[in-house]
């Protein structure tokens, strides 16, 4: 995984796991890789992976079964989807429209590009 400088690595890791859950890689009550396995997979310090898993647990995305590992919380996929949609609508769209206005891109022009992207 290539990390960016705009956000803490553990948050980027948590987002990646959430995206994997959204994509259906892990189902409700399914075990996810151990903290150590995930740290090795993403080539990060284990303490960073611990922070990512702690964040996911705080967010209610995963839960720990003592001695067995971490599992996907039932309903996590739907909760992630709803939160991401809300963020997109409340944060991304306003930023996008502000940039469109600055660049002189009309809604029709944008719609045309979006249609092409969906067909690709």
């Amino acid at each position: 995984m290539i990390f960016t400088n705009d956000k803490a690595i553990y948050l980027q890791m948590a987002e990646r796991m959430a995206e994997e859950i959204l994509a259906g890689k892990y189902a409700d009550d399914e075990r996810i890789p151990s903290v150590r396995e995930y740290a090795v997979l993403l080539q990060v310090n284990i303490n960073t992976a611990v922070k990512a898993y702690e964040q996911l647990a705080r967010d209610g995305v995963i839960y720990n079964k003592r001695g067995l590992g971490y599992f996907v919380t039932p309903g996590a996929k739907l909760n992630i989807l709803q939160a991401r949609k809300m963020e997109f609508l409340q944060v991304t769209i306003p930023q996008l429209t502000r940039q469109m206005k600055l660049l002189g891109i009309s809604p029709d022009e944008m719609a045309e590009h979006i249609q092409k992207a969906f067909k690709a």
Side-chain angles (χ1 to χ4, degrees):
M1 179 172 178
I2 297 172
F3 297 102
T4 62
N5 292 326
D6 64 335
K7 194 180 290 185
I9 291 174
Y10 80 95
L11 291 174
Q12 293 177 63
M13 291 177 64
E15 286 179 359
R16 177 184 166 140
M17 178 59 73
E19 287 172 5
E20 290 175 350
I21 292 167
L22 270 179
K25 186 171 183 178
Y26 304 107
D28 286 356
D29 288 316
E30 184 176 345
R31 186 180 177 281
I32 62 172
S34 71
V35 172
R36 188 174 306 281
E37 291 168 339
Y38 211 51
V40 169
L41 176 70
L42 299 182
Q43 300 176 343
V44 299
N45 183 294
I46 192 163
N47 293 326
T48 305
V50 167
K51 286 178 73 173
Y53 275 43
E54 288 173 347
Q55 182 65 49
L56 288 164
R58 276 192 302 274
D59 292 343
V61 174
I62 62 174
Y63 65 95
N64 188 6
K65 283 187 182 178
R66 192 175 186 111
L68 296 176
Y70 284 93
F71 294 78
V72 177
T73 301
K77 183 175 181 176
L78 180 59
N79 292 339
I80 294 165
L81 182 64
Q82 289 173 338
R84 295 272 176 105
K85 278 184 179 181
M86 192 62 78
E87 180 182 0
F88 183 80
L89 294 172
Q90 292 180 348
V91 177
T92 305
I93 294 293
Q95 291 173 346
L96 179 65
T97 54
R98 186 170 45 256
Q99 285 297 310
M100 288 171 59
K101 288 175 185 176
L102 286 171
L103 299 172
I105 299 171
S106 71
D108 290 338
E109 185 179 357
M110 187 64 173
E112 182 181 321
H113 285 274
I114 290 172
Q115 290 294 338
K116 286 180 185 176
F118 268 98
K119 291 177 183 176

